[in-house]
C-alpha cells in the first residue's frame, strides 16, 4: 500500500461509524494490520504465480483421505505444519496413474507458499528437452543457481520415460544443490525400489538417491484412478476439483 492509498484509507476510517470513539493509536494499529494483510496477500499471489503449479487451487484442507487411498490426514497435516521446508526434507509420492500424486504434491507446495516459501513445479519428461535448450543458449548455470534458491521444488512424473546421460548429470546437480538445505517433492508411477535402475548410471544413481533419501517422507497412493470415465464425480474425488496424477 503506497502513501496515497494509506492516506485514502485513513480518510475512509473517519467516515466509518465507531471510529470517532477510537484513539489515534487504535486507528493506527488498524491501518498497520490492514497493511500487513495487504502485503501478505500480494506476496502469496506472487509466490503462486512464480510456482507455476499444475494445480494451483490444490489445498491440503481438501485432500480426500478415504482409507482406500492410503492417505492419513493427520500425517499430511503434521507434515504440512512442520519444518520439512526449512529443514530441506524430501517428499516421495508414488502410485498408479490418476491416483492423485500431482495434486497432493501441488497441495503441499501451495501450502508452503501460503507460509511464505517459494516453490517451482517442473515435469521431468518435459525438463529433459528444456535442459538441452538451456545448455545450448548458455543459460543453464544461471537457471540452476536460481533454482537452488527455491524453497520447494516439485519434480513431477519422476521415472517416466528414458533419460540420457546429460539429463542424469543435470538432475544430480539439481538435487545436490538442494541436499539437506532445500525441500524437494518427487512424484512417480515407478516404485522407489526401481528408481536406481531408471536413472541408469550406477554411480550417479547412488549419489542422487543418497541425497534424496537422507531425510524424506513417503506417501504411497492406492485405489482406482480418480480420472476413470473423466466424469465430474471422478474429477472431484481428490479435491472437489481436479485430481491430478
Amino acid at each position: 500500500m503506497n502513501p496515497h492509498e494509506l492516506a485514502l484509507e485513513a480518510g475512509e476510517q473517519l467516515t466509518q461509524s465507531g471510529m470517532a470513539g477510537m484513539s489515534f493509536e487504535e486507528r493506527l494499529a488498524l491501518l498497520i494490520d490492514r497493511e500487513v494483510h495487504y502485503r501478505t496477500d500480494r506476496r502469496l499471489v506472487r509466490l503462486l504465480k512464480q510456482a507455476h503449479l499444475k494445480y494451483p487451487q490444490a489445498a491440503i484442507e481438501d485432500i480426500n483421505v478415504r482409507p482406500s487411498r492410503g492417505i492419513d490426514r493427520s500425517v499430511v497435516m503434521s507434515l504440512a505444519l512442520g519444518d520439512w521446508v526449512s529443514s530441506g526434507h524430501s517428499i516421495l509420492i508414488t502410485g498408479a496413474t490418476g491416483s492423485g500424486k500431482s495434486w497432493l504434491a501441488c497441495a503441499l507446495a501451495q501450502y508452503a507458499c501460503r507460509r511464505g516459501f517459494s516453490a517451482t513445479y517442473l515435469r521431468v519428461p518435459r525438463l529433459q528437452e528444456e535442459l538441452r535448450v538451456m545448455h545450448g543458449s548458455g543459460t543453464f548455470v544461471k537457471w540452476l543457481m536460481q533454482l537452488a534458491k527455491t524453497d520447494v521444488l516439485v519434480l513431477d512424473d519422476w521415472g517416466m520415460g528414458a533419460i540420457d546421460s546429460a539429463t542424469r548429470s543435470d538432475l544430480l546437480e539439481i538435487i545436490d544443490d538442494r541436499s539437506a538445505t532445500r525441500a524437494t517433492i518427487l512424484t512417480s508411477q515407478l516404485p522407489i525400489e526401481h528408481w536406481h535402475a531408471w536413472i541408469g548410471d550406477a554411480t550417479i544413481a547412488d549419489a542422487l538417491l543418497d541425497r534424496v533419501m537422507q531425510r524424506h517422507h513417503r506417501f504411497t497412493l492406492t485405489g482406482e484412478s480418480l480420472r476413470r470415465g473423466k466424469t465430474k464425480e471422478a474429477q472431484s474425488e481428490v479435491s472437489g476439483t481436479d485430481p491430478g496424477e
Side-chain angles (χ1 to χ4, degrees):
M1 192 180 298
N2 59 43
H4 177 66
E5 292 172 327
L6 194 62
L8 288 177
E9 175 64 18
E12 184 181 333
Q13 275 191 349
L14 298 177
T15 66
Q16 296 173 345
S17 61
M19 284 293 179
M22 290 187 179
S23 67
F24 170 78
E25 289 78 9
E26 289 170 332
R27 286 188 283 113
L28 179 61
L30 289 176
L31 284 175
I32 293 174
D33 184 65
R34 180 158 178 169
E35 171 69 4
V36 169
H37 282 87
Y38 173 78
R39 293 189 180 186
T40 300
D41 290 344
R42 286 206 349 178
R43 176 173 171 77
L44 176 57
V45 170
R46 176 174 58 81
L47 289 172
L48 289 175
K49 183 178 180 179
Q50 292 174 343
H52 298 291
L53 298 177
K54 184 176 183 178
Y55 301 109
Q57 81 282 5
I60 59 171
E61 295 90 340
D62 299 327
I63 290 174
N64 185 319
V65 291
R66 290 185 309 180
S68 61
R69 294 206 57 230
I71 298 180
D72 185 325
R73 182 185 296 277
S74 64
V75 174
V76 175
M77 295 303 296
S78 177
L79 175 62
L81 296 170
D83 63 352
W84 69 279
V85 177
S86 56
S87 296
H89 291 190
S90 299
I91 299 178
L92 316 179
I93 307 173
T94 58
T97 181
S99 58
K101 301 183 299 295
S102 298
W103 197 95
L104 177 58
C106 288
L108 289 166
Q110 190 248 35
Y111 190 72
C113 289
R114 285 157 60 185
R115 298 181 70 185
F117 294 106
S118 59
T120 294
Y121 171 93
L122 298 172
R123 284 193 69 245
V124 175
R126 186 182 300 158
L127 180 62
Q128 187 164 231
E129 177 59 31
E130 293 173 347
L131 289 170
R132 280 196 288 266
V133 172
M134 285 188 283
H135 279 294
S137 63
T139 59
F140 173 73
V141 174
K142 181 179 179 181
W143 174 84
L144 188 64
M145 293 174 63
Q146 292 175 335
L147 191 64
K149 298 176 183 177
T150 303
D151 297 314
V152 178
L153 172 62
V154 178
L155 291 174
D156 200 9
D157 290 330
W158 177 270
M160 180 179 287
I163 57 173
D164 55 30
S165 59
T167 303
R168 280 195 291 267
S169 298
D170 288 343
L171 286 175
L172 177 58
E173 290 296 320
I174 292 170
I175 296 298
D176 185 62
D177 283 344
R178 314 186 63 74
S179 180
T181 59
R182 303 286 182 180
T184 306
I185 304 176
L186 279 68
T187 78
S188 180
Q189 294 181 36
L190 198 64
I192 294 174
E193 57 267 27
H194 297 307
W195 288 7
H196 194 283
W198 170 73
I199 295 170
D201 183 292
T203 301
I204 292 180
D206 286 343
L208 198 158
L209 294 180
D210 177 69
R211 288 158 175 75
V212 168
M213 307 294 282
Q214 277 185 28
R215 287 179 287 184
H216 72 278
H217 310 269
R218 297 189 189 189
F219 291 97
T220 301
L221 306 190
T222 56
E224 295 183 353
S225 171
L226 299 174
R227 295 201 191 102
R228 181 165 295 177
K230 295 184 178 180
T231 62
K232 290 183 178 180
E233 290 78 14
Q235 290 178 345
S236 66
E237 287 295 316
V238 175
S239 65
T241 51
D242 196 329
E245 182 175 319

